[in-house]
Amino acid sequence: MMKQYIDEAEAALLHTYNRYQVVLDKGDGVYLYDIEGKKYLDFVSGIAVFALGYNNKEYNDALKEQIDKVIHTSNYYYNVPAIEAAKKLKKVSGMDRVFFTNSGAEAVEGAIKAARKYAYLKDGTTDHEIIAMNHSFHGRTMGALSVTGNPKYQEAFQPMIGNIKFADLNDFESVKAQVTDKTCAILFETVQGEGGIYPATEEFMKQVKALCEEKDILLILDEIQCGMGRTGTMYAWQRFGIKPDIMTTAKALGCGVPVGAFLMTEKVGQASLTSGDHGTTYGGNPLAGAAISKVLDLFEKENILAHVNEVAPYLEKRLDELVEKYEFIETRRGVGLMQGLVCNKPVGDIINKALENGLILINAGTQIIRLVPPLVITKEHVDEMIALLDKSLA
Ligand SMILES: *Cc1c(COP(=O)(O)O)cnc(C)c1O
């Protein structure tokens, strides 16, 4: 049965993914089931999306209720779910203005436009520069791709949007070296995800922030993967006592309903995008609003941040045991429930073996096993994962 669906998929879908040979059917808590009923422990959560676990009744009910009322209206009218979602998002982020999008890449596009407009309103010129980081990932659309520091992803699609410069995360001198009078923004992920689970250091964050303030450059933090509680604070930058001018969020924000947002401070909000500058048909529609609103309610009600802070040290400890045990695992890197096992060889075979053993994992780059589980995992789930991973490594 599985084979037939896979053949049909390969005949109909564009070949942009090398998919794992499994057809998933349903989910419950931290487990997924394929169409033949095989059960998998999920340490990927749809790539840092399904934070609350699958089949959460309260979340499902909120969506069903909204579907029966209205799914979509248009951004030319107000709707209560989006208003509620925006208020709650402001509260947890400490940012002032919200624009809802349909994806992470689209949030990054909006952030880039906001930064360019801010600079344009200051000096009337249009050739401003953005500094992004090597090994970064910001999405696949042309603007987001342009700030993605991975030449392999860009090569066939040149030219990029232009005036983008690259520096190295945690190397402040490399950032400073790229700053000119034309720099309008410095953009990076607080914890690099796809690029290999590299957390920005406190020192780097503070140095970049101070530089931005000194030169009126906007600090844009991409929190699409590392945000929404994954590192133990709602947004990863909140550990550092600094604040971005613009930030992006998506992935776990809707817990599966395709949503994103870019947020900004009042200062940027009052001097950047304005009526007619930006828009979206779907972004922040009633269904999206209901999803975001309920996700943020459940984060509070289920004490997700406290839970992450409790379970993450245990995950780190158990992963470190594997680092000790296996020669080819060089180190562990990460924050909270965003962890990578850095190996000295490609990890594709290990991930396939794990899948066979009923454990869903994913890579970040070719040599890193990435663990971004649902935020509701317990220590027992960690033990179960370690046992399955150990078996797959052996
Ligand atoms: C996934 C991701 C994106 C892109 O989000 P999409 O919803 O896939 O467009 C952007 N930035 C980061 C850090 C991501 O992890």
Side-chain angles (χ1 to χ4, degrees), residues 2 43 67 115 188 190 196 206 253 296 341 353:
M2 203 114 92
F43 263 63
I67 286 169
F188 59 94
T190 317
K206 289 188 163 156
L253 178 66
L296 293 174
L341 285 176
K353 196 73 196 165

Side-chain angles (χ1 to χ4, degrees), residues 103-105 137-139 189 222 224-225 251:
S103 68
F137 182 83
H138 298 290
E189 302 154 80
D222 183 343
I224 290 168
Q225 189 161 156
K251 289 198 163 92

Side-chain angles (χ1 to χ4, degrees), residues 53-72:
Y54 301 98
N55 207 14
N56 180 301
K57 184 164 185 331
E58 223 181 302
Y59 171 82
N60 288 2
D61 286 347
L63 292 185
K64 287 175 195 166
E65 203 178 300
Q66 190 57 48
I67 286 169
D68 287 338
K69 277 173 94 175
V70 66
I71 294 173
H72 180 78

Side-chain angles (χ1 to χ4, degrees), residues 30 42-45 47-51 191 197 225-233 299 304-316 319 332-340 370-379 381-382 385:
V30 300
D42 177 24
F43 263 63
V44 176
S45 57
I47 313 198
V49 169
F50 240 107
V191 182
I197 319 288
Q225 189 161 156
C226 61
M228 292 299 294
R230 186 154 292 281
T231 67
T233 49
F299 261 73
I304 296 293
L305 297 183
H307 178 74
V308 169
N309 287 312
E310 197 197 316
V311 75
Y314 186 70
L315 173 64
E316 291 182 350
L319 288 174
R332 172 189 63 77
R333 203 160 53 215
V335 193
L337 293 183
M338 181 170 183
Q339 297 286 339
R370 175 169 32 163
L371 301 104
V372 283
L375 302 184
V376 294
I377 55 158
T378 61
K379 290 178 184 172
H381 295 131
V382 171
M385 180 278 290

